[in-house]
C-alpha cells in the first residue's frame, strides 16, 4: 500500500494513542517492582509486563486496523492483508525498567511497502513522546527536532550499547578500547530507542550498536532520520542486526570507517 502524507499522519495518530496508553500501563507496573526484594524474581515481573504491554498494543492495533500485520519483540506475529505492518517493542530498555530508571520506552513503528512511514517512541517516566512520519519531520512533545550541528569525530559525544552474550560483549569492549580515545566521550544509556532519539534531539552527536532488532530501531531510526541523521549499517546497508550507526552526514562516514576497520559488526575471532 502506498501512503499519502494524510495516511501517514492518520497511522501516527493511532500509534500515539496506543503508545500513550501502553506507556501508562508499563509505568504503573514499574512502580510496583522492587529489584532489591530477593524473595521474588523481578526479572519475571518484567517479562510478564513486557508480554502484557505487547498484547495490549496488538489488541488495540487490530481493533482499529484488523487487516494489518503486527510483529513484536515478545512474539506477536500476526499476518494481515493490507500491506501495513506494525513493529512493536513493548519495553525497550528492560534493565533500566527493572532498576527503576527513567530511560526505557514503548516503541511502535508502522511500515508500508517495506518502509517505515510513521514511528513513536514514548518514554513515559521522562515525559517524552517522540514522533515522526516519513517526509514529515520528527518531534518531541510537539517540538520539531534537529540533530546537533556537525562536529568532527574527536569532538563527538557518542552513545552505544552492549549485547547480552559474554562473547559479543568482549568484542564490543575491544572495539570501544579504540573508539574511546578518539571521541569526546561515550554514553551508555540502556535503551537503543532512547539513544537514537538522543541523536535526533542533539543530546549526543552519534550512536552505534551491534545486535539490534527491527523493533529496537524501527520507530527511532525514522525519528533520527527525520531530524537530519543518516542511519544505516556498514557499506551502504540499511540499519541491521550486524551494526546500526546514526549520526549527521560527515560524522556518520567518519564513525562508519572507524567501526568498519575494527570489526564492530562481528563478535570477534572464533574461539578454540
Ligand atoms: C536492549 C536495549 C539496550 C541495548 C540492547 C537491547 P531490551 O533492548 O535497547 O540499550 O544495548 O542491545 O537489546 O532488551 O531492553 O528491549
Amino acid at each position: 500500500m502506498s501512503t499519502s502524507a494524510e495516511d501517514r499522519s492518520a497511522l501516527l495518530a493511532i500509534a500515539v494513542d496506543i503508545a500513550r496508553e501502553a506507556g501508562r500501563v508499563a509505568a504503573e507496573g514499574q512502580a510496583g517492582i522492587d529489584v532489591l526484594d530477593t524473595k521474588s524474581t523481578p526479572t519475571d515481573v518484567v517479562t510478564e509486563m513486557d508480554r502484557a504491554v505487547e498484547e495490549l498494543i496488538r489488541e488495540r492495533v487490530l481493533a482499529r486496523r484488523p487487516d494489518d500485520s503486527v510483529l513484536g519483540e515478545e512474539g506477536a506475529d500476526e499476518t494481515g492483508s493490507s500491506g501495513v505492518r506494525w513493529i512493536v517493542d513493548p519495553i525497550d530498555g528492560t534493565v533500566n525498567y527493572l532498576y527503576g530508571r527513567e530511560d526505557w520506552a514503548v516503541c511502535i513503528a508502522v511500515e508500508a511497502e517495506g518502509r517505515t512511514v510513521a514511528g513513536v517512541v514514548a518514554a513515559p517516566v521522562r515525559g517524552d513522546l517522540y514522533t515522526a512520519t516519513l517526509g514529515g519531520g520528527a518531534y518531541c512533545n510537539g517540538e520539531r527536532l534537529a540533530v546537533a550541528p556537525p562536529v568532527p569525530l574527536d569532538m563527538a559525544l557518542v552513545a552505544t550499547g552492549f549485547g547480552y552474550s559474554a562473547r559479543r560483549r568482549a568484542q564490543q569492549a575491544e572495539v570501544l578500547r579504540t573508539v574511546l580515545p578518539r571521541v569526546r566521550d561515550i554514553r551508555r544509556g540502556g535503551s537503543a530507542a532512547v539513544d537514537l532519539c538522543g541523536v535526533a534531539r542533539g543530546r549526543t552527536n552519534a550512536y552505534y550498536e551491534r545486535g539490534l532488532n527491527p523493533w529496537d530501531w524501527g520507530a527511532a531510526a525514522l525519528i533520527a532520520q527525520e531530524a537530519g541523521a543518516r542511519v544505516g549499517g556498514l557499506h551502504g546497508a540499511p540499519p541491521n542486526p550486524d551494526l546500526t550507526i546514526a549520526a549527521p552526514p560527515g560524522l556518520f562516514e567518519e564513525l562508519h570507517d572507524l567501526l568498519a576497520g575494527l570489526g564492530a559488526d562481528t563478535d570477534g575471532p572464533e574461539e578454540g
Side-chain angles (χ1 to χ4, degrees), residues 43 71 84 115 130-131 140-141 185 223:
T43 336
L71 174 73
V84 173
R115 301 179 71 183
Y130 298 93
T131 56
C140 180
N141 301 332
D185 206 348
I223 292 162

Side-chain angles (χ1 to χ4, degrees), residues 75-161:
D77 197 358
E78 207 81 43
T79 308
S81 56
S82 66
V84 173
R85 183 163 78 145
W86 298 66
I87 302 183
V88 175
D89 190 345
I91 301 173
D92 181 63
T94 40
V95 176
N96 281 348
Y97 183 86
L98 175 62
Y99 277 77
R101 300 174 68 89
E102 292 89 353
D103 283 330
W104 56 269
V106 174
C107 308
I108 304 179
V110 193
E111 247 182 34
E113 291 177 318
R115 301 179 71 183
T116 309
V117 295
V120 52
V121 172
V125 184
R126 290 258 182 227
D128 288 338
L129 186 84
Y130 298 93
T131 56
T133 52
L134 184 64
Y139 296 82
C140 180
N141 301 332
E143 234 171 81
R144 184 94 192 219
L145 296 179
V147 293
V151 291
L153 188 59
D154 61 0
M155 290 299 289
L157 184 61
V158 180
T160 191

Side-chain angles (χ1 to χ4, degrees), residues 73 89 91-95 161-164 188 190-192 209 212 216:
E73 181 184 22
D89 190 345
I91 301 173
D92 181 63
T94 40
V95 176
F162 309 115
Y164 289 112
R188 198 299 191 235
S191 158
E209 184 165 349
L212 299 188
D216 297 315

Side-chain angles (χ1 to χ4, degrees), residues 215-236:
W215 41 83
D216 297 315
W217 77 67
L222 179 66
I223 292 162
Q225 258 156 22
E226 288 292 328
R230 182 169 168 194
V231 184
L234 289 185
H235 313 300

